Amino acid sequence: MKHAAEAAGPATGTAAATETHCPYCALQCGMALRVSGPGAGDAAGVEVVERASFPVNRGALCGKGRTAPEVLRTGVRLTAPLVRTDGVLREAEWSEALDRVARGFATVQSTYGRDAAGIFGGGGLTNEKAYLLGKFARVVLGTSNIDYNGRFCMSSAAAAHRKAFGVDRGLPFPLEDVARTGCAIVVGSNLADTMPPALRYLTELKENGGSLVVVDPRRTRTAEQATLHLQPLPGTDLALALGLLHLVIADGHVDEDFVAERTTGFAAARAAAMAHWPERVERITGVPVPEMRRAVELFAGAATGMVLTARGPEQQSKGTDTVGAWINLCLATGKAGRPLSGYGCLTGQGNGQGGREHGQKADQLPGYRSITDPADRAHVAAVWGVDPDSLPGPGRSAYELLDVLGSEVRALLVMGSNPVVSAPRAAHVTDRLRSLDFLVVSDVVLSETAELADVVLPSAQWAEETGTTTNLEGRVILRQAALTPPRGVRSDLFTLHELASRMGVTFGFPTDAETVFDELRAASSGGQADYAGITYDRIRREDGVFWPCPDEAHPGTPRLFLDRFATPDGRARFVDVSHRPAAEEPDADYPLYLTTGRVLAQYQSGAQTRRVAELNAAEPGPFVELHPQLADRLGVADGELLAVTSRRGRAVAPAKVSTAIRRDTVFMPFHWGGAGRANSLTNPALDPTSKMPEFKVCAVRVERAGAADLAANGTGGRS
Ligand code: SF4
């Protein structure tokens, strides 16, 4: 493997390693890569080297990051474009594949109109790719139909953040602050599995005398670390937050000065909370009143405190309101807009933060600008050199877009996403993808979605290309190329440049990442997510730069809201919300709750991590976690194959009997396709504000698998 020209920066103990970041989750752990060996496709020649100087993970990596070079191997990844001929995907030259893509979109748009072309992006794309993809949709295709899988990740937290604080940045403080706060309430996050190096911030918090409250229907490895674990029914986090606020008010813990000086809307929020008295909330959530009282003592009794949410409360059809209720708790106790206090979202995907800031979301232009605001449209249009009136308006959200494939949207470009596995009601989504006139997928491997495509474009990977991401703290960081990709593989920037050119736009789609980033800086300048002062050189020198950073003399903003919130009047806003049930509750036909989530050794749809032998050995397939009492009632033993049925589909996977889960709930990880696909079951009921589907709760029936299930699954138990 050759060193890339821009390889730079010594790592610990070596002058030859290139500093970069893990390709997976939003922690974006720093690492360095030392490359030796004969040529592209030789993962054995890529060594991960500790990069202890990077402050977020201080050298620590989980197994996913440590083994990430495995996916660089040529036996695992795509190394040539694929074009479907007579129903079969065959290898092709890039020119043939790109010509076919351009023709496919042109044919559909000339027949059905511009909005018949759609784009489905990804929260793992670099800022440069996300930015250029949004520009491609609006300038080249002229379609409003662009959204991305990040909509399935943290969109409810983003919406709640904007409502309460006026701007959405996952964490308004660096992670190091978590270790020094007085009490952290972590709601619906199992970061011990999803981002293990971050667990040390919670253990340090406890070592420093602080307390940790974990809210989760499962006793996860994170919950095991807690001072107090609250185990509510799936879908009742909103009621729990209201119940805690009720106790805060009733017990005299409201910070009246803070509420008066820095917030608005408390009266309505207080009235809503008072209607959720503790005994009522216990009946809704299953959390005993004494445990609620203990949580309030810990949180309200601490001088500083934080609430951190993740997918648990967010992936609900009331996710925005749920997060808002937890923010209310912070505001009422004066634990926001002050040092070592506040609300934060533990973003999931690698560039879940940056990916939502720069234009691949249906309603946004770069820099968090609004696609409906005339001034915002004019600013971005000027940077792009186009007429503002030529820019389309807002399009459909992710699930809404997938739901109209084959009817209102007839051609789709998927970049860095695998909705066949990761979308809710996945069998329906798969049918919709199959019904398209034309599907093109750009990815590093032949994912389940790529298998359906008319054209597959093999894209370069994290270690092979330079670009920025923005981690969960709002820290803009730089992945630097350490090696060149195999012959036959190209960057997504090249793909967009070539497609734009074939579709008649011969300017404005550079292939050099730093050139794209400089344009992104200009497009974001003056917006909420202002990157104007961030340069590649600064990122290298400063271990990342926090936005907003409006000019090169600006130090960046690690901590938001200390003086004022980002609302027009500078005050944070309480929300007036009340409990309501999940869109689908258990009944006689479907008597159990299903909740879905992740495991330590796999990432997202598993497209990459399922191809890593060590990770597969650790976590080889899906399972159905259920309580021993439920297993007894069903008459099933650990490892026995179960069929789980919802109103949307059926999934088959082995039983994993565990006391970690509630008796009325089963859990399935969602990293696998095929017969054990958890998302065959999940409910696409959408949050009305964020358009987040309700991945975290639906009603199911569980039974022993039958002969047909066994045949479909191809296994008799957990392997
Ligand atoms: Fe990569 Fe996340 Fe693991 Fe860090 S915690 S090594 S970023 S997957």
Side-chain angles (χ1 to χ4, degrees):
M1 271 173 200
K2 289 181 279 186
H3 292 271
E6 61 267 65
T12 310
T14 172
T18 302
E19 293 189 343
T20 189
H21 294 268
C22 173
Y24 298 125
C25 86
L27 203 57
Q28 286 295 283
C29 291
M31 63 166 71
L33 295 177
R34 187 188 294 131
V35 179
S36 60
D42 173 27
V46 183
E47 180 190 357
V48 174
V49 181
E50 182 178 295
R51 185 181 161 195
S53 61
F54 187 65
V56 176
N57 62 308
R58 298 181 208 156
L61 297 171
C62 77
K64 295 176 290 249
R66 188 171 40 73
T67 59
E70 283 295 300
V71 188
L72 299 167
R73 284 185 297 130
T74 49
V76 166
R77 66 184 301 173
L78 293 163
T79 52
L82 303 175
V83 169
R84 192 172 297 278
T85 306
D86 297 329
V88 177
L89 285 172
R90 61 161 175 84
E91 291 195 359
E93 293 298 322
W94 270 91
S95 55
E96 180 191 354
L98 291 166
D99 285 348
R100 185 135 164 209
V101 175
R103 227 175 25 247
F105 277 106
T107 302
V108 161
Q109 289 194 304
S110 65
T111 310
Y112 300 104
R114 286 193 169 269
D115 276 349
I119 289 183
F120 198 84
L125 301 178
T126 61
N127 291 321
E128 291 81 357
K129 292 181 184 185
Y131 169 81
L132 215 59
L133 190 62
K135 182 177 178 182
F136 181 81
R138 277 79 183 224
V139 172
V140 179
L141 293 178
T143 179
S144 66
N145 282 316
I146 174 170
D147 213 59
Y148 77 127
N149 64 17
R151 180 78 67 173
F152 299 158
C153 186
M154 63 320 104
S155 58
S156 293
H161 233 130
R162 278 196 302 278
K163 274 189 181 183
F165 304 126
V167 67
D168 156 41
R169 197 180 86 185
L171 294 180
F173 39 71
L175 270 170
E176 65 187 58
D177 286 6
V178 175
R180 297 186 293 137
T181 192
C183 176
I185 303 181
V186 176
V187 190
S189 168
N190 181 16
L191 53 76
D193 280 3
T194 55
M195 46 181 69
L199 186 63
R200 83 177 157 77
Y201 292 105
L202 300 182
T203 52
E204 286 175 14
L205 158 71
K206 286 169 54 190
E207 287 163 9
N208 291 336
S211 53
L212 171 65
V213 178
V214 171
V215 179
D216 199 306
R218 302 169 66 217
R219 188 158 182 83
T220 61
R221 291 201 307 129
T222 309
E224 285 171 359
Q225 305 292 320
T227 315
L228 175 68
H229 174 205
L230 307 181
Q231 207 166 357
L233 271 175
T236 64
D237 311 84
L238 171 53
L240 181 62
L242 286 160
L244 299 185
L245 182 56
H246 180 107
L247 287 169
V248 162
I249 296 165
D251 295 348
H253 293 302
V254 173
D255 185 333
E256 302 287 357
D257 290 343
F258 179 87
V259 168
E261 291 165 16
R262 300 201 56 189
T263 73
T264 60
F266 183 53
R270 178 171 50 201
M274 295 320 285
H276 292 77
W277 57 94
E279 293 75 14
R280 179 186 175 204
V281 171
E282 178 177 318
R283 283 196 297 278
I284 296 169
T285 64
V287 176
V289 172
E291 292 185 9
M292 284 187 254
R293 288 197 183 283
R294 177 78 179 125
V296 168
E297 282 166 17
L298 291 172
F299 188 68
T304 54
M306 296 174 176
V307 172
L308 305 173
T309 69
R311 305 303 81 74
E314 299 166 13
Q315 288 179 325
Q316 299 184 22
S317 60
K318 54 180 180 294
T320 305
D321 285 357
T322 301
V323 174
W326 287 100
I327 292 174
N328 281 355
L329 189 69
C330 291
L331 296 178
T333 52
K335 291 182 169 61
R338 287 172 165 168
L340 305 180
S341 287
Y343 161 76
C345 160
L346 297 165
T347 299
Q349 293 193 82
N351 196 27
Q353 181 66 52
R356 69 193 196 240
E357 297 165 357
H358 297 297
Q360 62 174 332
K361 219 173 160 191
D363 53 352
Q364 281 181 356
L365 292 170
Y368 270 153
R369 285 192 153 87
S370 165
I371 204 163
T372 57
D373 182 281
D376 284 353
R377 292 168 63 88
H379 175 91
V380 173
V383 173
W384 289 351
V386 299
D387 181 347
D389 291 338
S390 72
L391 299 178
R396 295 174 171 84
S397 72
Y399 183 78
E400 293 170 318
L401 173 57
L402 295 172
D403 196 34
V404 298
L405 299 182
S407 53
E408 286 161 74
V409 173
R410 314 289 291 230
L412 185 73
L413 165 62
V414 177
M415 188 169 275
S417 186
N418 188 14
V420 166
V421 175
S422 61
R425 198 186 173 196
H428 170 72
V429 167
T430 305
D431 285 347
R432 295 294 86 225
L433 285 160
R434 283 202 176 102
S435 73
L436 283 164
D437 292 15
F438 187 70
L439 172 64
V440 55
V441 174
S442 176
D443 210 328
V444 299
V445 296
L446 191 65
S447 69
E448 287 82 353
T449 305
E451 285 175 7
L452 305 180
D454 297 289
V455 176
V456 182
L457 302 173
S459 63
Q461 298 188 43
W462 58 289
E464 300 162 344
E465 55 185 4
T466 292
T468 60
T469 60
T470 306
N471 82 346
L472 75 173
E473 305 169 290
R475 184 195 303 254
V476 184
I477 57 176
L478 184 63
R479 290 185 191 159
Q480 302 189 106
L483 56 143
T484 51
R487 195 187 158 278
V489 171
R490 301 282 186 277
S491 79
D492 289 325
L493 299 183
F494 168 87
T495 294
L496 294 172
H497 169 88
E498 289 293 319
L499 290 177
S501 161
R502 280 166 170 76
M503 295 179 198
V505 179
T506 54
F507 66 96
F509 286 85
T511 57
D512 172 64
E514 190 164 4
T515 306
V516 176
F517 188 73
D518 285 342
E519 186 184 305
L520 179 161
R521 292 168 57 202
S524 74
S525 179
Q528 287 193 325
D530 191 334
Y531 282 38
I534 303 175
T535 66
Y536 276 21
D537 279 346
R538 277 193 70 178
I539 298 172
R540 287 190 187 99
R541 285 198 309 271
E542 300 174 25
D543 274 333
V545 181
F546 290 81
W547 69 260
C549 182
D551 60 68
E552 291 188 40
H554 191 282
T557 316
R559 294 172 182 84
L560 294 172
F561 313 141
L562 294 182
D563 300 322
R564 70 191 306 277
F565 295 98
T567 53
D569 63 4
R571 291 165 175 257
R573 294 179 288 230
F574 281 92
V575 291
D576 175 11
V577 293
S578 291
H579 166 71
R580 58 185 186 275
E584 184 180 75
E585 290 283 340
D587 57 19
D589 294 330
Y590 301 94
L592 295 166
Y593 288 100
L594 168 73
T595 191
T596 62
R598 297 141 216 258
V599 296
L600 173 64
Q602 301 288 351
Y603 176 72
Q604 298 295 85
S605 81
Q608 291 135 295
T609 50
R610 281 187 275 121
R611 288 168 164 83
V612 177
E614 179 183 326
L615 300 177
N616 258 350
E619 206 58 71
F623 56 85
V624 183
E625 184 178 280
L626 75 171
H627 193 275
Q629 288 187 4
L630 177 59
D632 277 353
R633 188 148 58 80
L634 296 172
V636 299
D638 191 70
E640 199 170 337
L641 211 56
L642 298 181
V644 184
T645 309
S646 77
R647 287 182 176 82
R648 292 152 296 280
R650 190 170 174 90
V652 180
K656 183 176 182 182
V657 179
S658 168
T659 54
I661 186 123
R662 293 176 57 98
R663 293 167 179 78
D664 47 18
T665 302
V666 297
F667 165 83
M668 289 187 74
F670 70 87
H671 308 289
W672 290 271
R677 180 174 60 185
N679 276 319
S680 296
L681 307 164
T682 48
N683 189 350
L686 299 182
D687 179 288
T689 305
S690 67
K691 307 294 183 183
M692 168 73 85
E694 191 149 72
F695 289 100
K696 284 295 175 185
V697 51
C698 70
V700 295
R701 182 173 68 240
V702 180
E703 59 209 332
R704 271 212 190 92
D709 295 316
L710 292 169
N713 185 268
T715 174
R718 194 153 194 248
S719 56

